[in-house]
Amino acid sequence: MKQAYWTEMDGKDGLKHFKEEFYVKKGVLYMDGNSLGLLSKNAEKTLAEVLTDWKEYGIDGWMAGTHPWFTLSEKLGGKMAPLIGAHKDEVIVTGSTTGNLHQLVSTFFQPAGTKTKILADELTFPSDIYALKSQLHLKSLTPADHLLSVKSQDGRMIEEEDIISSMTEEVALIVLPSVLYRSGQLLDIQRLTAEAHKRGILIGFDLCHSIGAVPHELSNWEVDFAFWCNYKYLNGGPGSVAGLYVNRKHFKTAPGLAGWFGSNKEKQFDMSLEFVPSDTAGAFQMGTPHVLSTAPLIGSLELFAEAGMGRLREKSLQLTRYMMELIETELSSFGFHIGNPREDERRGGHVCLEHSEAARICKALKENQVVPDFRAPNVIRLAPVPLYTSFQDVHDTIVRLKKIMSEKQYEKFPNVREVIA
């Protein structure tokens, strides 16, 4: 493997200094940032600042201190908005991914007449399907009859033509992933939104595997709603508070699940039994914000503002392209198959590497100080996150993987996943 390329690319990388801002364990090649991002020094600092505010101010921390808690969710929503191409008041940091999906579906799924069905896909993350089935049950509708699932032709990807042809007159709501969590396929959000709206269907997207890795223009594309976690590419930490987006055209729509932190801020402490919602996406909050689980995002988003999504996406594509080239040249005789799209415009932030021995290859990688991610039945996900991954890191990952395969190191492990894959 030629050293010239990665040396040249690392030499001219305008983002390379960001690696020093993260706690990257010496000798470890961390390729799992699409599952849990690493801790940054900035995130550590802002978490400490919020703890200090609690220590110094007690309950007055809601309105005083370095990061007053009462408006923190709105403030961070505004900082997150550029990552997805949204207006500041269309984004709120709140809840969890699945909790926010429940909120949004309870709000926007209003079956009437023959329009009683929800359209999803068979490759989406299971928790989304659990939530959609629950919402159907709450409306006394059976998932077998009212949840439509777009089928994959190859078990890896979903054809957009198949999604569009499934947008029938019976569909009231569509919920799709922006990036498929196994294969890394990036769907054409703009096209799918336009096609849904032509048919009078509301559409929303799960951005868990794209936010912080792929720029979006949700407001311009008129996407109705979106939801996501913040612990992957955004490095908000395990259990980090999630986020949601609601297009301005829906600000007058009452939230399906009302709670007091969705109130107009000026009215919230009137303690009226009549709910007066915020006139922003903040209306879709429910309970009191989880301040300590939100705090690391303050520092993390500062790094994204400095780096810029355009530069991050450019480097991400270069890293994954380089990784695929090395896989093809160095691992072609070991039975691997690249299961993600090759085209830049159809690929998210990770490489999907398929192998029949994937579970135990992942264990051997960890033994060799490479942190991958296994997804059943046969996928090794490798995510060279641009904020803290160099081109040499990508090169060294494939070098270690080739050694594992050449020496058959994986054979000493059982080919079954761990409890947490």
Side-chain angles (χ1 to χ4, degrees):
M1 294 183 231
K2 295 180 180 179
Q3 179 177 339
Y5 179 78
W6 61 255
T7 303
E8 176 190 352
M9 294 301 289
D10 282 338
K12 64 183 183 182
D13 178 14
L15 299 174
K16 62 185 175 184
H17 64 283
F18 283 101
K19 188 171 185 176
E20 300 301 317
E21 300 298 321
F22 287 84
Y23 289 100
V24 182
K25 200 171 181 180
K26 187 176 181 180
V28 173
L29 301 170
Y30 194 80
M31 296 289 155
D32 204 9
N34 61 323
S35 192
L36 178 67
L38 292 177
L39 173 65
S40 68
K41 296 170 185 176
N42 245 34
E44 181 182 46
K45 176 177 72 73
T46 54
L47 174 57
E49 288 171 351
V50 170
L51 283 168
T52 298
D53 286 346
W54 179 22
K55 179 170 67 177
E56 294 293 326
Y57 295 98
I59 198 168
D60 288 337
W62 285 104
M63 296 298 288
T66 309
H67 307 287
W69 312 327
F70 190 54
T71 55
L72 183 58
S73 298
E74 288 80 4
K75 180 181 178 181
L76 290 181
K79 291 181 180 295
M80 200 171 286
L83 305 185
I84 60 171
H87 300 294
K88 289 183 177 182
D89 57 357
E90 293 178 319
V91 181
I92 192 76
V93 171
T94 186
S96 67
T97 306
T98 304
N100 288 342
L101 175 56
H102 274 291
Q103 168 68 289
L104 294 163
V105 175
S106 70
T107 301
F108 294 111
F109 178 54
Q110 300 296 329
T114 59
K115 293 178 78 71
T116 61
K117 299 186 178 182
I118 298 175
L119 179 64
D121 72 277
E122 70 171 354
L123 299 182
T124 199
F125 196 76
S127 191
D128 290 3
I129 298 300
Y130 306 158
L132 296 178
K133 287 181 176 179
S134 294
Q135 288 294 321
L136 287 166
H137 282 305
L138 288 170
K139 289 183 166 59
S140 300
L141 298 171
T142 58
D145 295 323
H146 295 276
L147 180 59
L148 304 179
S149 184
V150 181
K151 304 301 179 187
S152 169
Q153 296 181 17
D154 62 1
R156 299 182 181 99
M157 302 180 207
I158 298 291
E159 296 299 322
E160 283 149 2
E161 291 297 338
D162 293 341
I163 297 173
I164 293 167
S165 65
S166 299
M167 296 179 183
T168 65
E169 293 182 356
E170 299 173 310
V171 175
L173 186 72
I174 302 170
V175 179
L176 297 168
S178 54
V179 169
L180 275 63
Y181 78 98
R182 280 196 187 93
S183 70
Q185 177 193 2
L186 172 63
L187 293 178
D188 187 338
I189 295 175
Q190 182 178 16
R191 180 189 180 199
L192 293 171
T193 300
E195 293 292 342
H197 289 170
K198 281 181 191 176
R199 295 160 175 80
I201 306 171
L202 297 180
I203 186 168
F205 289 88
D206 178 339
L207 305 185
C208 284
H209 283 274
S210 65
I211 190 165
V214 180
H216 297 306
E217 293 292 338
L218 298 192
S219 295
N220 289 340
W221 298 339
E222 297 190 342
V223 172
D224 294 294
F225 64 88
F227 57 99
W228 57 87
C229 60
N230 288 318
Y231 49 76
K232 300 183 188 295
Y233 295 102
L234 291 187
N235 310 304
S240 175
V241 174
L244 64 82
Y245 152 91
V246 175
N247 190 281
R248 280 177 173 176
K249 64 187 174 185
H250 297 301
F251 280 1
K252 298 297 183 182
T253 302
L257 302 174
W260 83 308
F261 253 82
S263 301
N264 179 300
K265 292 293 188 189
E266 299 299 321
K267 301 287 186 181
Q268 184 169 341
F269 279 85
D270 288 351
M271 299 300 186
S272 170
L273 296 184
E274 293 299 320
F275 178 58
V276 181
S278 167
D279 57 1
T280 72
F284 297 88
Q285 297 175 93
M286 289 181 279
T288 303
H290 303 166
V291 175
L292 298 183
S293 296
T294 304
L297 274 174
I298 304 169
S300 182
L301 289 174
E302 290 172 357
L303 297 180
F304 277 85
E306 181 183 345
M309 277 308 305
R311 291 200 299 165
L312 288 168
R313 176 61 169 164
E314 180 183 15
K315 183 181 175 183
S316 173
L317 289 171
Q318 291 171 340
L319 289 167
T320 53
R321 196 182 307 123
Y322 181 43
M323 179 174 280
M324 290 188 293
E325 290 170 359
L326 290 176
I327 289 167
E328 289 179 331
T329 58
E330 302 299 325
L331 303 177
S332 59
S333 62
F334 296 109
F336 288 103
H337 176 83
I338 295 174
N340 54 267
R342 306 300 181 94
E343 309 94 323
D344 287 356
E345 68 274 10
R346 298 185 65 226
R347 189 172 74 253
H350 72 265
V351 170
C352 167
L353 191 57
E354 298 175 352
H355 197 283
S356 59
E357 308 280 1
R360 57 181 177 172
I361 291 171
C362 280
K363 294 174 185 178
L365 280 166
K366 286 193 174 182
E367 185 180 59
N368 283 267
Q369 301 295 290
V370 178
V371 182
D373 182 273
F374 171 73
R375 286 293 176 262
N378 66 339
V379 170
I380 303 166
R381 297 191 308 185
L382 298 170
V385 174
L387 277 174
Y388 48 77
T389 306
S390 68
F391 289 85
Q392 182 178 356
D393 291 339
V394 170
H395 168 271
D396 292 352
T397 294
I398 303 306
V399 168
R400 295 184 194 184
L401 180 52
K402 185 176 182 178
K403 185 173 188 289
I404 288 166
M405 302 308 294
S406 299
E407 298 176 1
K408 298 186 177 180
Q409 296 179 23
Y410 59 90
E411 290 185 347
K412 65 183 174 183
F413 300 102
N415 194 33
V416 293
R417 67 168 174 82
E418 302 293 348
V419 174
I420 294 179

